[in-house]
Amino acid sequence: MSPTVPAPLNLVGGSWVQAGEPVVDVVDPATGEVVTRIPDTDGAGVDAAVAAAREALADWRTTTPFHRATLLHRLADGVREHRDELVGLVTLEMGKPLREAGNEVDKLADAFDYYAEEAVRVHGETIPNEQHGVTSIVRYEPVGVVGAITPWNYPLELIGWKLAAALAAGCTIVVKPSEYTPSSAVALMALLQPAGFPDGVANLVLGAGVAGRALASHPGLDKLAFTGSTATGAAISRSVAKAMPLSMELGGSCPQVVTASADVDEAVAGCLRRGFRNAGQICIAINRVYVHRSVHREFVEKLTAGVEALTVGPGSKDPDVGPVTNAGIRDRCVAHVQQAVADGARVTTGGAVIDRPGTWFAPTVVDEVPPTTLLAQEETFGPVVGVTPYDTTEEAVALANGTTAGLAAYLYARDLTEVFEIGHALDFGNVAVNNPDAGIMNAPYGGRKGSGHGYEHGREGLFGYLHIKHLRVRYGR
């Protein structure tokens, strides 16, 4: 049974308001059917949300971190209580299989609990002075009003990282979710008031390009947090109204390096999980694999067999792989595979659109991918993995580092010399060795180069919403 889709309303200052005529279709990617329509909030609607956040800031920033922690724990409880509803909405609008949607909602609740605990562990320090009767105190204070623009691939979790850290720090926030997946965001924000959050502390504006541009360039923000494509991140960086902190998690195009000493079965299992989970629609998905020539054929044969065994179907049927979320992703998969083949690569499985209603692309392995082709240079963001053999460690590192991406990389090797030499040489913010999970909640997560700047997760994720103040006091004569 399909979940009940909430009314497409903005949350502004604690009130649910209509932000104009619905003009944007929200589509079930498994069927192609329109499930709801949302407005594209205009500048006046964004102004109202930012003004509400500014009004709420004066009181919220002075609440104790213990009170903020209590409310965040209540919000985590609310997420768990409404788990089935949230899971259903994610699957309906994004296409994610039910198990994966459930994992996302569980991790959303965990994020609220984690930052509730971190809120009470923000410690300043005192610094000795060269003069008697003078002391220096370092304080951490909330940045202020935050704008958050989030994508569709993890429509709740990527809101949660920003919402949890910002509220824990004492900031207020305006969230603009993706136009592809608005309903789960509406359902999440509806849990704020029951948890006890004051009106205006967290606000929601729905929309597409109009709303996104109005929020990103709004002069009333004190910080902007964005997750999305590298191109959009670059455009946002040019559009901000004033000098202010920006945190950006941008595109991945993540490599996997498999050395001659690797456990090939483990490497294949890792690639299956991180290359095809969420239909490859994740910033830290494995996009390109560099395999030592001595184990290349074994790796490709086992990966191909593993991909062919994956089940594909609507997310509501809980397959291994669901549809891709929109036509743009499907068409990019087509373009990347076709160009790779034209450049001399070969498809070992998949490689084509699945002919059914909705937006589908078959899980695909492409072997002998030239390093210069799009599949090896750009983020596909779909269920496609390209494989390239290599001969020397230096060649593998150069290939892995040879794009503008710097978010995550994966290394499979049992030789400790390879683990440390290659692990240190990979120019990425996150490197996972002999496992497919590059991020955990209590460690910093962020990219470098074209993959953005700033951090989420860990204490660093909270400190991204705090200013540092040096208070130097003379108290003696």
Side-chain angles (χ1 to χ4, degrees):
M1 185 175 66
S2 295
T4 301
V5 177
L9 300 174
N10 287 356
L11 179 62
V12 178
S15 298
W16 292 97
V17 297
Q18 180 68 47
E21 289 298 315
V23 294
V24 180
D25 288 343
V26 180
V27 176
D28 178 351
T31 64
E33 297 177 354
V34 175
V35 296
T36 188
R37 303 186 80 223
I38 65 170
D40 196 357
T41 304
D42 62 13
V46 173
D47 287 344
V50 173
R54 178 66 60 188
E55 182 177 354
L57 179 64
D59 288 336
W60 181 246
R61 69 183 301 153
T62 61
T63 59
T64 71
F66 295 91
H67 180 62
R68 297 197 293 266
T70 296
L71 300 189
L72 284 166
H73 280 311
R74 288 181 189 167
L75 184 56
D77 292 341
V79 168
R80 294 185 180 102
E81 182 180 347
H82 293 268
R83 183 182 188 274
D84 290 347
E85 173 192 357
L86 295 170
V87 166
L89 290 171
V90 169
T91 295
L92 177 67
E93 293 185 343
M94 192 262 149
K96 196 187 301 277
L98 289 173
R99 280 170 298 171
E100 294 183 21
N103 289 337
E104 178 176 351
V105 174
D106 292 341
K107 290 193 288 184
L108 171 70
D110 291 344
F112 290 130
D113 277 334
Y114 175 78
Y115 280 109
E117 297 301 317
E118 284 298 314
V120 303
R121 291 196 284 259
V122 177
H123 304 148
E125 62 178 330
T126 59
I127 298 174
N129 274 241
E130 71 277 8
Q131 295 175 263
H132 288 294
V134 180
T135 189
S136 286
I137 300 170
V138 174
R139 287 170 47 84
Y140 291 90
E141 299 177 349
V143 165
V145 176
V146 176
I149 300 176
T150 60
W152 46 263
N153 59 321
Y154 281 81
L156 285 176
E157 197 173 354
L158 292 176
I159 290 175
W161 296 353
K162 298 166 180 60
L163 184 64
L167 296 182
C171 297
T172 58
I173 191 168
V174 179
V175 176
K176 205 291 286 184
S178 170
E179 64 271 26
Y180 293 107
T181 53
S183 297
S184 57
V186 174
L188 170 62
M189 300 297 275
L191 302 178
L192 290 163
Q193 286 177 318
F197 284 92
D199 294 344
V201 164
N203 306 272
L204 179 75
V205 293
L206 301 179
V210 171
R213 286 188 293 271
L215 183 59
S217 62
H218 202 285
L221 298 182
D222 301 306
K223 174 186 169 75
L224 182 67
F226 171 77
T227 301
S229 72
T230 300
T232 303
I236 286 175
S237 295
R238 294 189 295 267
S239 72
V240 292
K242 61 186 181 184
M244 64 178 177
L246 301 176
S247 60
M248 294 198 168
E249 184 208 328
L250 307 178
S253 185
C254 302
Q256 179 188 27
V257 176
V258 182
T259 75
S261 73
D263 183 317
V264 173
D265 290 334
E266 283 188 359
V268 168
C271 189
L272 285 170
R273 172 178 167 82
R274 190 50 65 208
F276 297 94
R277 189 181 185 193
N278 207 34
Q281 300 169 121
I282 176 172
C283 297
I284 57 172
I286 292 173
N287 203 147
R288 48 201 173 98
V289 186
Y290 304 108
V291 186
H292 192 271
R293 199 172 297 275
S294 64
V295 294
H296 167 250
R297 176 175 292 182
E298 179 187 2
F299 180 89
V300 171
E301 289 177 353
K302 289 182 174 180
L303 180 63
T304 299
V307 171
E308 289 175 345
L310 296 173
T311 58
V312 179
S316 59
K317 303 296 184 182
D318 206 22
D320 295 316
V321 180
V324 296
T325 301
N326 57 64
I329 298 298
R330 178 197 61 202
D331 296 345
R332 187 187 304 163
C333 291
V334 171
H336 282 197
V337 171
Q338 288 182 347
Q339 193 209 43
V341 171
D343 288 345
R346 66 184 183 91
V347 174
T348 66
T349 188
V353 171
I354 299 173
D355 186 16
R356 62 198 301 178
T359 46
W360 298 85
F361 195 82
T364 298
V365 177
V366 186
D367 191 20
E368 300 284 355
V369 175
T372 56
T373 197
L374 285 175
L375 182 56
Q377 288 293 317
E378 296 184 2
E379 183 178 45
T380 306
F381 218 66
V384 179
V385 169
V387 183
T388 302
Y390 75 88
D391 294 300
T392 68
T393 295
E394 293 76 16
E395 181 187 4
V397 170
L399 288 169
N401 289 342
T403 75
T404 60
L407 183 58
Y410 303 84
L411 170 62
Y412 281 77
R414 288 178 293 185
D415 183 297
L416 279 181
T417 298
E418 291 178 334
V419 166
F420 286 104
E421 285 187 351
I422 299 175
H424 289 314
L426 290 170
D427 193 12
F428 294 82
N430 308 273
V431 178
V433 180
N434 295 326
N435 76 90
D437 298 309
I440 57 174
M441 180 52 66
N442 58 337
Y445 171 79
R448 55 180 67 175
K449 300 191 294 186
S451 292
H453 48 83
Y455 294 91
E456 297 185 292
H457 293 188
R459 297 177 69 248
E460 292 80 359
L462 176 60
F463 278 73
Y465 294 89
L466 293 166
H467 279 316
I468 299 174
K469 176 184 284 183
H470 172 208
L471 185 67
R472 188 167 186 263
V473 178
R474 181 178 180 182
Y475 60 87
R477 291 179 293 178

